[in-house]
Amino acid sequence: LTNNGLSGRMSERIGNLTFVKVLDLSDNNIKGSIPAELGKLSKLVYLRLSYNAFTGAAPEGLSEMKGLQLLQLQSNRITELPIITQLDESFYKNSTFVTDCGVPSAFDEALKCEHCTMCCNANEDCYPQEETHISEWGLNYGTFAAVLFACFIAFCCIVSLFLYLYRKRNYSEHSARESIEEADKYALSKIGKNSVYSYFVKDKFAGYLLAFATLIIQIAILVFFIIASEANLQDDRIDIQFTWKCPPDSDVCKDKADLTDAGWVIFCLLM
């Protein structure tokens, strides 16, 4: 019954249709809350209520529908979902479980949906909700970046210690001092005399402080980009572009991004 101009409210007698397996009421103007009796349709495998005007909390009975292969509730005014276990994604892939769990949201906080496969926002743009490799390791992007920086600093310290021990073993004190001076001159020529980082190879304490402060500020700015990369589709601070569409006339969500394989090849060559 999709796109039939239906209006009004969904009757509680919907619960009498116990043998129904497919129910598609999408793209209508049905208002009010979704009746709890809908949860009695235990044989349902396909349920689309998207693009209506449903409000309030979705019924708890949705969590009891163990045979559902598709559940699409996006573009409504649903404020709360029951805990729905992960649906079988082998049939509809990313289009299996779609709700309004993206940002920007029509509400102060986006809908929480742990097992949704696709999150749509108030602009009807969507994005798949998938685990990243970082989250699979039990880390967030901030922790991963901190670990990465710590490993880099540890590596630099190990290299510096190795070079120090190598010079001490193979050079006299005088020749070691000359070697360090030559290395400083070489580093200065590569860094540039007008760069703030040139103070790292000069014997000035104030210069060290200035260069170190500049480095800390640049790392702090980088933190904002790292936070924006977090794949939390309910966080307004993310910088992910919602490029998918789940249209009213189809149960399949498609990526509308203009990125192509040729574009990635050109990007890699430029880099």
Side-chain angles (χ1 to χ4, degrees):
L1 298 174
T2 182
N3 191 21
N4 269 283
L6 301 178
S7 59
R9 294 173 176 268
M10 184 184 289
S11 171
E12 296 175 355
R13 286 181 289 180
I14 191 76
N16 296 331
L17 305 176
T18 53
F19 291 98
V20 169
K21 293 185 177 181
V22 176
L23 181 60
D24 189 349
L25 297 173
S26 60
D27 199 16
N28 285 291
N29 192 30
I30 306 174
K31 300 180 176 66
S33 60
I34 301 173
E37 286 74 13
L38 186 68
K40 297 178 180 179
L41 307 185
S42 58
K43 296 186 182 297
L44 268 182
V45 296
Y46 185 105
L47 177 60
R48 286 190 78 211
L49 301 178
S50 52
Y51 294 95
N52 278 286
F54 288 111
T55 58
E60 289 289 335
L62 290 178
S63 61
E64 302 298 324
M65 295 180 176
K66 305 301 183 183
L68 271 180
Q69 297 171 4
L70 181 138
L71 176 59
Q72 295 187 353
L73 304 172
Q74 75 273 19
S75 292
N76 283 289
R77 303 279 292 181
I78 296 173
T79 56
E80 187 178 349
L81 286 172
I83 299 176
I84 299 174
T85 55
Q86 194 165 3
L87 304 183
D88 184 0
E89 300 177 23
S90 60
F91 296 95
Y92 295 97
K93 309 300 180 184
N94 288 331
S95 307
T96 300
F97 187 7
V98 188
T99 65
D100 295 320
C101 51
V103 290
S105 173
F107 303 98
D108 290 337
E109 293 186 6
L111 193 65
K112 303 296 183 183
C113 185
E114 182 179 354
H115 296 296
C116 282
T117 58
M118 186 75 67
C119 284
C120 298
N121 59 24
N123 301 324
E124 298 182 358
D125 298 320
C126 309
Y127 197 83
Q129 183 168 254
E130 301 171 328
E131 279 198 349
T132 63
H133 294 303
I134 304 299
S135 61
E136 288 175 356
W137 298 339
L139 302 173
N140 57 36
Y141 276 63
T143 305
F144 174 75
V147 171
L148 192 64
F149 278 124
C151 291
F152 176 74
I153 292 171
F155 174 76
C156 291
C157 291
I158 291 171
V159 171
S160 298
L161 179 61
F162 174 78
L163 292 175
Y164 170 77
L165 295 174
Y166 178 80
R167 282 201 189 97
K168 189 174 182 181
R169 181 178 178 180
N170 294 279
Y171 294 92
S172 64
E173 184 177 348
H174 177 71
S175 60
R177 190 180 299 110
E178 290 181 347
S179 175
I180 292 173
E181 290 176 354
E182 289 178 5
D184 287 346
K185 290 179 181 179
Y186 176 78
L188 190 61
S189 67
K190 295 299 180 183
I191 295 172
K193 294 182 179 180
N194 295 325
S195 171
V196 69
Y197 293 118
S198 64
Y199 287 113
F200 278 128
V201 293
K202 295 179 180 178
D203 294 328
K204 293 183 179 179
F205 181 73
Y208 275 118
L209 288 180
L210 180 60
F212 188 72
T214 303
L215 185 62
I216 294 298
I217 291 171
Q218 290 183 333
I219 292 174
I221 293 172
L222 182 61
V223 168
F224 290 101
F225 289 93
I226 294 171
I227 293 173
S229 301
E230 196 74 57
N232 181 2
L233 301 182
Q234 290 82 48
D235 191 341
D236 274 321
R237 297 175 299 174
I238 63 170
D239 200 32
I240 294 175
Q241 298 297 314
F242 285 64
T243 58
W244 288 64
K245 286 289 186 181
C246 301
D249 59 347
S250 174
D251 58 14
V252 177
C253 301
K254 295 181 179 180
D255 189 4
K256 299 297 183 180
D258 55 1
L259 298 177
T260 63
D261 293 338
W264 280 114
V265 170
I266 293 172
F267 171 77
C268 292
L269 290 174
L270 289 174
M271 290 300 102

